[in-house]
Amino acid sequence: MASENTFSNFKLASELPAWTKLQKLYDAQGKTLNVKSEFDSDAKRYEKYSHTFTNYDGSKILFDFSKNLVNDEIMQALIELAKEANVAGLRDEMFAGDHINFTEDRAVYHVALRNRANRVMKVDGVNVAPEVDAVLAHMKEFSEEVRSGKWTGYTGKKITDVVNIGIGGSDLGPVMVTEALKHYSGVLDVHFVSNIDGTHLAETLKPLNPETTLFLVASKTFTTAETITNATSAKNWFLSKTGNNPAHIAKHFAALSTNKEEVAKFGIDTKNMFGFESWVGGRYSVWSAIGLSVALYIGYDNFDDFLKGAEAVDRHFVDTPLEQNIPLLGGLLSVWYNNFHGAQTHLVAPYDQYLHRFPAYLQQLSMESNGKSVTRGNVFANYSTGSILFGEPCTNAQHSFFQLVHQGTKLIPTDFIMAAQSHNPIDDKKHQKMLASNYFAQAEALLVGKDAAKVEAEGAKGGLVPHKVFSGNRPTTSILAQKITPATLGALIAYYEFLTFTEGAIWNINSFDQWGVELGKVLAKVIVNELQDTSAVANHDPSTNALINQFKQWM
């Protein structure tokens, strides 16, 4: 267990000396700091503010923080803030298996899921590494049997399609990773159903052959309402197409769960059950048995590389001094913009079509983790916490919301992500070069802008001039990988996990519970019962009463 002072008697972040120092620095120089001028006055700025991460397989990812609105004095004060907030101490408690998720009395130990070096990692005195390895061995055996055709459906036909039924972290992670690593697929097709809207399930099932389809039901408790409703409907579809023989279910359904009783009651053979512990939070569960759809899609060896890439960032985060600690620096910059510049958003713009679901995945990671207003000291924070994270793949995004990023009134710190090597270098890499030109140009344009004199020199006159002015000096972080491989993707996810961790540690909030999703679920359980008949309701607020009653009339 963690020491008591981890969870109580913590000062508000705003009470820390470094916070006061940062506010003074912002007032004195931060709000007027010009990054272009900083480059002009410091020839080594790029070298100082860029860091290259070397993955376990020797591949590299470059993180360029040099275009951010900081100087050496501000960066030093941010490092001081991390020290005063005890970020490293909380990090070490997490890696020690302490119950840092104190509102649920749980360890936060998804890092143990990618412990491929088999270090001793204990929770409550028990080394969990053997248990993790046992689940991974089961995943390896199962995925290889299905991919090879050794595992067949009830008619003896090979499995061709896998349908993962889950929600939240049981969906967002596998969806994103399978899309990002589509290049490594080829044996099976995977599909994902998460929305309780029947359209999602119906449209997914339409083209599928029940004789060659495998369903993965992803629910730790096997009681998640949306998931079990979708799974039950999928089972009914399967039975209706296959002679209504419940014995066939065992060859076509597997469970990613820990509730043997409910899994068996559903009809799934508990031999086809893949468990994970309470210390695995949903938004961190893609590293666990929830990643079975990933292993089936890209093959277990690639899934293992995915884990090892994240593990390499784990070691970097633990072993690297704060001044060179890449995820920590990313988190400190986020705090700088959120709490001192008043930025409300964080844009993640991947210049890679394979990463088109990456921002959506990061939305849950960031906003479910740090969308909190109460600190670990059980008092309300008097400062802004979680950022609104958004993003879309570029260059599409450049033709939609980049107008606001360049010339709007809001400060939008932006991460640009790209791989130098494409998996699809068609037409003599013409597409990749054009993509890269936009990746470099957007960050440069946000830095340098265009002033009125240049606009006039280009021929604009009078009232048109201000419309063509770009203020520039808008902060960006450029992340350049060599290639989007399983190991690279694992590393990128882990980077954002620890960036989010750093934010939460500074803000002194519990980044690992999610009570905010509960109230709506509780009320929905009441309302779903009220929707079973046509009688009018009157026990809600006037607006909700009217909406429910209108729905009943129209339904």
Side-chain angles (χ1 to χ4, degrees), residues 350-371:
Y351 280 74
D352 193 301
Q353 186 60 29
Y354 283 127
L355 295 179
H356 72 105
R357 294 296 293 164
F358 194 52
Y361 174 79
L362 296 182
Q363 284 176 343
Q364 185 193 24
L365 171 63
S366 176
M367 293 194 280
E368 191 169 84
S369 294
N370 290 339

Side-chain angles (χ1 to χ4, degrees), residues 439-509:
Y439 167 82
F440 297 123
Q442 290 294 327
E444 183 179 31
L446 286 166
L447 169 68
V448 302
K450 184 189 288 188
D451 61 21
K454 188 165 186 180
V455 170
E456 289 174 344
E458 291 174 349
K461 297 179 180 179
L464 184 59
V465 171
H467 294 277
K468 292 192 171 186
V469 167
F470 290 71
S471 64
N473 206 42
R474 302 199 175 204
T476 62
T477 294
S478 294
I479 301 173
L480 181 63
Q482 287 182 286
K483 198 171 193 176
I484 301 300
T485 65
T488 299
L489 182 65
L492 286 173
I493 297 172
Y495 164 77
Y496 280 101
E497 284 181 353
F498 293 133
L499 183 157
T500 302
F501 174 93
T502 299
E503 292 174 327
I506 297 290
W507 292 325
N508 193 22
I509 56 179

Side-chain angles (χ1 to χ4, degrees), residues 244-465:
N244 288 309
N245 186 344
H248 297 335
I249 292 173
K251 296 295 289 180
H252 291 269
F253 282 79
L256 315 179
S257 178
T258 56
N259 192 335
K260 280 190 177 182
E261 183 179 345
E262 289 298 323
V263 167
K265 189 186 299 183
F266 188 89
I268 296 175
D269 187 340
T270 54
K271 291 179 182 177
N272 304 329
M273 188 174 114
F274 301 80
F276 49 102
E277 293 297 330
S278 64
W279 38 259
V280 181
R283 55 193 173 278
Y284 304 97
S285 62
V286 72
W287 316 106
S288 73
I290 292 296
L292 181 58
S293 58
V294 178
L296 284 163
Y297 189 55
I298 65 173
Y300 182 81
D301 289 344
N302 284 321
F303 183 73
D304 192 53
D305 283 345
F306 173 64
L307 298 179
K308 288 177 179 176
E311 181 188 28
V313 175
D314 295 346
R315 302 322 309 165
H316 171 90
F317 189 56
V318 169
D319 297 336
T320 307
L322 302 187
E323 291 78 4
Q324 288 84 43
N325 198 301
I326 297 171
L328 181 127
L329 294 173
L332 291 176
L333 288 169
S334 180
V335 170
W336 173 238
Y337 295 126
N338 189 314
N339 296 108
F340 299 94
H341 284 268
Q344 297 178 320
T345 60
H346 180 178
L347 168 59
V348 176
Y351 280 74
D352 193 301
Q353 186 60 29
Y354 283 127
L355 295 179
H356 72 105
R357 294 296 293 164
F358 194 52
Y361 174 79
L362 296 182
Q363 284 176 343
Q364 185 193 24
L365 171 63
S366 176
M367 293 194 280
E368 191 169 84
S369 294
N370 290 339
K372 317 286 172 62
S373 56
V374 178
T375 70
R376 292 200 301 270
N378 304 320
V379 298
F380 283 92
N382 60 1
Y383 41 80
S384 173
T385 56
S387 298
I388 301 165
L389 191 147
F390 73 106
E392 285 289 335
C394 294
T395 56
N396 306 54
Q398 293 175 194
H399 294 269
S400 58
F401 54 77
F402 267 47
Q403 170 64 44
L404 177 64
V405 180
H406 280 281
Q407 288 187 307
T409 57
K410 295 174 175 60
L411 180 72
I412 304 177
T414 300
D415 295 352
F416 292 123
I417 304 173
M418 187 170 174
Q421 299 171 30
S422 172
H423 287 293
N424 302 289
I426 60 177
D427 286 349
D428 194 29
K429 303 180 183 178
K430 177 181 178 181
H431 292 259
Q432 187 70 354
K433 292 172 183 176
M434 187 175 293
L435 182 71
S437 69
N438 281 273
Y439 167 82
F440 297 123
Q442 290 294 327
E444 183 179 31
L446 286 166
L447 169 68
V448 302
K450 184 189 288 188
D451 61 21
K454 188 165 186 180
V455 170
E456 289 174 344
E458 291 174 349
K461 297 179 180 179
L464 184 59
V465 171

Side-chain angles (χ1 to χ4, degrees), residues 112-336:
L113 299 170
R114 54 222 197 191
N115 173 28
R116 306 316 304 129
N118 281 308
R119 295 176 176 84
V120 173
M121 299 186 76
K122 294 182 178 180
V123 174
D124 300 327
V126 178
N127 179 20
V128 302
E131 176 191 351
V132 169
D133 270 357
V135 173
L136 287 172
H138 189 194
M139 292 171 65
K140 176 180 171 68
E141 178 187 31
F142 184 79
S143 61
E144 289 181 347
E145 285 192 351
V146 173
R147 285 171 59 85
S148 69
K150 183 178 179 181
W151 175 288
T152 64
Y154 78 99
T155 60
K157 294 180 179 178
K158 289 177 60 173
I159 298 298
T160 60
D161 293 87
V162 176
V163 179
N164 186 92
I165 301 175
I167 199 167
S170 298
D171 173 79
L172 285 167
V175 168
M176 182 275 289
V177 175
T178 53
E179 286 295 308
L181 300 178
K182 185 178 287 188
H183 175 78
Y184 297 87
S185 67
V187 176
L188 299 167
D189 289 327
V190 293
H191 316 268
F192 295 88
V193 174
S194 57
N195 200 334
I196 195 59
D197 183 345
T199 299
H200 199 183
L201 181 64
E203 291 294 338
T204 301
L205 296 178
K206 271 183 183 178
L208 300 184
N209 179 355
E211 296 179 50
T212 60
T213 299
L214 173 68
F215 293 91
L216 306 180
V217 184
S219 171
K220 185 187 296 185
T221 63
F222 222 74
T223 58
T224 306
E226 299 95 335
T227 298
I228 299 308
T229 299
N230 276 328
T232 300
S233 295
K235 181 175 73 171
N236 292 339
W237 171 85
F238 173 78
L239 290 172
S240 72
K241 301 281 188 181
T242 58
N244 288 309
N245 186 344
H248 297 335
I249 292 173
K251 296 295 289 180
H252 291 269
F253 282 79
L256 315 179
S257 178
T258 56
N259 192 335
K260 280 190 177 182
E261 183 179 345
E262 289 298 323
V263 167
K265 189 186 299 183
F266 188 89
I268 296 175
D269 187 340
T270 54
K271 291 179 182 177
N272 304 329
M273 188 174 114
F274 301 80
F276 49 102
E277 293 297 330
S278 64
W279 38 259
V280 181
R283 55 193 173 278
Y284 304 97
S285 62
V286 72
W287 316 106
S288 73
I290 292 296
L292 181 58
S293 58
V294 178
L296 284 163
Y297 189 55
I298 65 173
Y300 182 81
D301 289 344
N302 284 321
F303 183 73
D304 192 53
D305 283 345
F306 173 64
L307 298 179
K308 288 177 179 176
E311 181 188 28
V313 175
D314 295 346
R315 302 322 309 165
H316 171 90
F317 189 56
V318 169
D319 297 336
T320 307
L322 302 187
E323 291 78 4
Q324 288 84 43
N325 198 301
I326 297 171
L328 181 127
L329 294 173
L332 291 176
L333 288 169
S334 180
V335 170
W336 173 238

